[in-house]
Amino acid sequence: MLMKTENEEAIMKRDKHNPLSHLLLAVNNELSAGTEKGDPTEKRLKVHLEEQELWSKFDVLTNEMIVTKNGRRMFPVFKVSVSGLDPSAMYSLLVDFVQVDQHRWKYVNGEWVPGGKPEPPAPNSVYIHPESPNFGAHWMKDAVNFSKVKLTNKTNGAGMIMLNSLHKYEPRLHIVKVGSKEEHKTITTHSFPQTRFIAVTAYQNEEITSLKIKYNPFAKAFLDAKERPDFRERDITDFCVDSQYSGQCKC
C-alpha cells in the first residue's frame, strides 16, 4: 500500500470540504515529481538526448526522414531528458528545424553528394510541445517526447513542420521560461549533431530502410508479413502509407 506524503495529508485535511482539493493535490504531486532534479537558479540546467546509440546508428549512414503532403512522424523519435530547471517555475518546450548547410543533396552511386544550390528555407515552423506551458518539475520527472511532430513538404498545418526535400536539417530544442509578458525568455537552445537528417519523399539508402524496419516497433507488422508465403515485396514507404491511417507509423 502506498503511504501518503506529509504534504498530501496536510492538503487533504485543510481542504476536506473544498471541491477543488483534488486539483490542489494534483498540483502538489506535479511539483514534487521532478523536484530532486531541480535547480531554482537554472545554473545547472542540462539537456540529454535519449537513445543516442540508436541515433548514431542512423547518423553514420546519413539519416533520412520521409516528408509527405499529409505529414509523416519521425523515427527515431526526438526525445530528451531535462534537469536543472526551477521546479516551481513555468516553461514551454519548443522544437524547430534548421538547414545545416548550403547544399541541395542527391543520392549517387550509394552515397549522398552536394547536388546544387539550396532552395530558400521553408517558412519558419516551430512545434510547441502539447504539454506546454508546465512546471519545471513536470518537464524533469520523465523524458520529454516529441513523437507527435510531423514532417511535410507542403504548406504546414497544425503540428506539422514544412521542410524542403533533399535538404539536410537538424532539430533544435528551445526551453522558454513563461511568466508575465516581460518575463518570457529563452533559457537555452540545444541541438545534437547525431539527429541530423536529409528530408526525402522516399528512402534512398537501403541500409536506412533496413534500420527503420529493424528498430521501429510499428514496423513489426511489416517484418511479420514477410514470413507469410503470400507476401508481396513492397518497400517500407508503402507500408508506412498504409499504416498512417491508424496514426501509428513513425518510419
Side-chain angles (χ1 to χ4, degrees), residues 10-180:
I11 290 174
M12 292 180 72
K13 288 179 181 178
R14 187 181 70 229
D15 300 298
K16 186 176 181 180
H17 302 294
N18 185 344
L20 298 179
S21 60
H22 65 291
L23 296 179
L24 297 174
L25 183 59
V27 170
N28 179 71
N29 290 339
E30 185 78 343
L31 287 172
S32 300
T35 299
E36 69 280 358
K37 301 177 184 177
D39 176 13
T41 69
E42 298 169 346
K43 292 180 179 179
R44 293 183 294 167
L45 196 157
K46 293 182 180 179
V47 177
H48 170 78
L49 176 68
E50 295 288 311
E51 299 184 332
Q52 290 191 33
E53 184 177 347
L54 178 60
W55 279 104
S56 295
K57 289 180 186 293
F58 286 92
D59 184 48
V60 296
L61 298 173
T62 304
N63 198 7
E64 303 170 26
M65 295 284 184
I66 295 287
V67 292
T68 66
K69 179 180 179 180
N70 295 324
R72 178 67 58 80
R73 293 185 180 184
M74 298 172 61
F75 186 84
V77 174
F78 189 65
K79 183 163 50 174
V80 298
S81 293
V82 182
S83 62
L85 297 174
D86 182 347
S88 59
M90 299 291 283
Y91 301 87
S92 288
L93 269 60
L94 307 82
V95 168
D96 69 355
F97 293 75
V98 291
Q99 290 184 194
V100 297
D101 54 42
Q102 295 301 308
H103 303 297
R104 180 185 178 91
W105 293 84
K106 60 182 180 180
Y107 195 70
V108 180
N109 297 325
E111 63 179 350
W112 286 100
V113 297
K117 295 182 180 180
E119 296 178 31
N124 188 27
S125 297
V126 175
Y127 179 86
I128 302 175
H129 195 282
E131 295 172 15
S132 298
N134 223 312
F135 293 114
H138 173 81
W139 297 120
M140 293 186 291
K141 68 179 181 179
D142 294 307
V144 182
N145 193 322
F146 286 87
S147 62
K148 294 184 180 180
V149 173
K150 285 188 175 183
L151 307 179
T152 181
N153 56 353
K154 301 297 181 182
T155 302
N156 58 299
M160 291 201 287
I161 302 293
M162 182 178 174
L163 305 179
N164 291 322
S165 181
L166 301 179
H167 291 64
K168 187 178 290 186
Y169 290 91
E170 182 175 277
R172 300 185 304 181
L173 173 74
H174 306 276
I175 300 177
V176 180
K177 194 169 188 176
V178 180
S180 65

Side-chain angles (χ1 to χ4, degrees), residues 234-249:
R234 302 187 304 171
D235 62 27
I236 188 62
T237 302
D238 291 334
F239 165 75
C240 284
V241 169
D242 292 344
S243 300
Q244 274 197 155
Y245 293 104
S246 64
Q248 293 181 325
C249 182

